[in-house]
Amino acid sequence: MRFKNSVLLLTALFLVLRCTARAQNFIMNESEQRAAAELLQATNEDRSTRGLQPVREDPMLMKAAWEHAQRMVESGTLTHRVAGEPDLVVRIQQTGLHCSTAAENVAEAPTAGQINDEWMHSPPHRANLLDPRLNAVGIAIVRKRGELYAVEDFARALVSLTRPQQENQVASLLASLGLRVRPGDALAASYCDASPRGTRPLPKLIMRYSTVDLSRLPQRVQQGIAAGTYRSAAVGACHEANQNGFTAYQIVVLLY
C-alpha cells in the first residue's frame, strides 16, 4: 500500500476562509460510493470511541475531494498537489464553504478498510481524523485497476453571519458581563477605519479585533474590560478583512 503522509493541516488563528462555489458536477459509481460511505463510518466510529463529535458530509468538500482524486488518478501520483493544481488552501477557497481550519488525507489501497487502518496508524493522518476542531468532511473515491484512490478533505465549517448578527452576538457576550450594550452602533462602526474626531462622549477604551469565533470574546478584550470600570458598551461590525485569501470578521467595541 502507498499512502501520502498528511502534513497539510492548515489552520489560521482568528481567520475564516470565504469562498465562491464552482458549478461542476462530480459522480462516483456505486462501488466508489460504498467505499466512501465505509470510510465516513469508520472515521466517525474512531471519533466516537474517543468522545469526539462526528464529522458531517459537506457537498462542497466532497466536490473538492473528488476533483483532487481525479487529478491524482490522471497523473498516476499520490500527492496533496498535482503539477499545475492549486494547493489545498486555494482548493478550499474555491468551494462555497466558510471555514477556519482545513486538513487533507490521501491514500491508495485495494479496500476502504485498509485505507482507514493505515491512516489510523500514521500519526499525521490520525491527527487529522481525530482533530476535535473539525466538523465537516468530503470523501471521494476513484477506483482504477483494482486500487482505490481516496481523498478526505476536512474542515471546521462555520456559519456565515450578517453584520447585525455579528453585532448582536458580541453584544450578548458583553451584556453577560453586566454592561449596557448598543449593538449596531454607528459611532462604533465609524472607528473601523480610523478614530473620528470631535465625538462626545469619548470612549474610555476602544477595542478592535478580528475573529472567526463570535461565541466568545478574545482574551485581550476580556482583559481590557476587567482592567477598568465600565458601565456601557457600543458594538460595530466592520468590513471583513482579506489577508492572503483569508477573511476575518472585524469587530469594534467602545467601552464607557
Side-chain angles (χ1 to χ4, degrees), residues 169-200:
Q169 192 160 338
V170 174
S172 66
L173 295 175
L174 294 168
S176 70
L177 298 176
L179 297 172
R180 298 190 306 274
V181 188
R182 301 190 307 274
D185 185 79
L187 178 58
S190 71
Y191 279 85
C192 288
D193 300 319
S195 298
R197 297 180 179 180
T199 58
R200 293 290 186 275

Side-chain angles (χ1 to χ4, degrees), residues 41-236:
Q41 180 178 351
T43 294
N44 281 332
E45 286 177 353
D46 290 332
R47 291 174 68 89
S48 177
T49 58
R50 291 158 180 84
L52 300 174
Q53 292 296 312
V55 288
R56 60 170 177 80
E57 282 188 299
D58 183 274
M60 298 173 189
L61 288 174
M62 289 174 66
K63 180 184 292 186
W66 184 84
E67 290 176 356
H68 183 60
Q70 289 289 326
R71 290 183 176 116
M72 288 198 307
V73 170
E74 292 168 1
S75 67
T77 58
L78 191 67
T79 179
H80 288 289
R81 187 178 186 183
V82 176
E85 178 189 31
D87 62 19
L88 177 60
V89 171
V90 175
R91 286 191 278 118
I92 295 297
Q93 289 174 338
Q94 289 174 339
T95 76
L97 187 68
H98 295 252
C99 58
S100 59
T101 301
E104 182 173 84
N105 286 347
V106 300
E108 176 192 352
T111 69
Q114 287 176 266
I115 290 172
N116 188 73
D117 184 65
E118 290 294 337
W119 278 345
M120 286 298 290
H121 285 87
S122 165
H125 292 85
R126 180 187 176 94
N128 288 344
L129 287 164
L130 303 181
D131 190 332
R133 298 169 298 174
L134 303 174
N135 60 13
V137 68
I139 301 175
I141 299 287
V142 178
R143 185 184 297 274
K144 185 174 183 180
R145 299 190 185 93
E147 291 287 296
L148 300 180
Y149 285 77
V151 178
E152 270 190 331
D153 282 346
F154 295 96
R156 178 174 180 82
L158 303 171
V159 177
S160 179
L161 299 175
T162 65
R163 286 198 198 179
Q165 289 173 327
Q166 296 172 44
E167 292 163 346
N168 287 334
Q169 192 160 338
V170 174
S172 66
L173 295 175
L174 294 168
S176 70
L177 298 176
L179 297 172
R180 298 190 306 274
V181 188
R182 301 190 307 274
D185 185 79
L187 178 58
S190 71
Y191 279 85
C192 288
D193 300 319
S195 298
R197 297 180 179 180
T199 58
R200 293 290 186 275
L202 291 175
K204 294 180 179 179
L205 184 65
I206 303 168
M207 303 293 292
R208 297 185 184 93
Y209 66 93
S210 305
T211 185
V212 297
D213 184 4
L214 292 174
S215 66
R216 58 183 178 181
L217 295 170
Q219 185 177 12
R220 69 183 184 88
V221 175
Q222 296 183 54
Q223 290 172 341
I225 294 172
T229 302
Y230 307 107
R231 295 184 177 181
S232 64
V235 180

